[in-house]
Amino acid sequence: MAVLDTAIIVIGRLLFGGVLAFTGVSHFTQTDQMADYAEYKGLPVPRFSVLASGALLVLGGLGVIVGVFPVVAAIALAAFLIVSAVMMHDFWAVPDDQRQDELNSFLKNISLAGGSLVIASVASNGWTLSLGVTLF
């Protein structure tokens, strides 16, 4: 792999996985507020859901960054992001004054899910500068 390709994939993994891992950390630092919102959205066991999703985001983001089960990590992130988009950002069911914010969050999650699937595809071929712990 060329030096430029290596730099691009490593920087991309750091940016993508880092943002998701950082987002997951907020699930632990803002658990009460997020659990209240999850309860408002009708999630069962909202506090557990917030903590479990935080763990998934942190572990998935780190998996993408360092290359530990990167395909599994990326697919798990994609699944979470799609479910989260539909359940938490239901722009079609909110009042008009909330619609744009929810639509933006919905589209952000769907876009990140697409990026996760691209990463899963790339990672299935192996990648440089990773720990190389993988199933595929």
Side-chain angles (χ1 to χ4, degrees):
M1 183 177 270
V3 174
L4 180 59
D5 291 340
T6 298
I8 289 170
I9 192 74
V10 169
I11 292 168
R13 285 170 25 208
L14 283 168
L15 293 172
F16 187 85
V19 166
L20 291 171
F22 179 77
T23 301
V25 169
S26 71
H27 288 224
F28 298 103
T29 61
Q30 300 173 10
T31 304
D32 292 336
Q33 301 93 313
M34 290 185 157
D36 288 346
Y37 185 68
E39 184 175 27
Y40 167 75
K41 287 294 190 169
L43 253 63
V45 286
R47 186 172 181 80
F48 175 78
S49 296
V50 168
L51 294 173
S53 62
L56 186 144
L57 287 165
V58 169
L59 294 173
L62 292 175
V64 166
I65 291 170
V66 300
V68 173
F69 301 114
V71 175
V72 173
I75 290 172
L77 287 167
F80 164 77
L81 288 161
I82 291 167
V83 169
S84 174
V86 172
M87 294 183 73
M88 302 300 288
H89 304 298
D90 53 347
F91 64 91
W92 56 89
V94 299
D96 287 342
D97 64 332
Q98 298 173 17
R99 186 158 291 132
Q100 190 62 54
D101 287 342
E102 291 296 350
L103 177 60
N104 290 343
S105 293
F106 178 89
L107 293 173
K108 172 199 54 106
N109 278 22
I110 295 300
S111 174
L112 287 168
S116 292
L117 294 175
V118 170
I119 286 173
S121 175
V122 171
S124 69
N125 297 320
W127 56 25
T128 188
L129 297 178
S130 73
L131 295 180
V133 179
T134 186
L135 294 175
F136 307 97

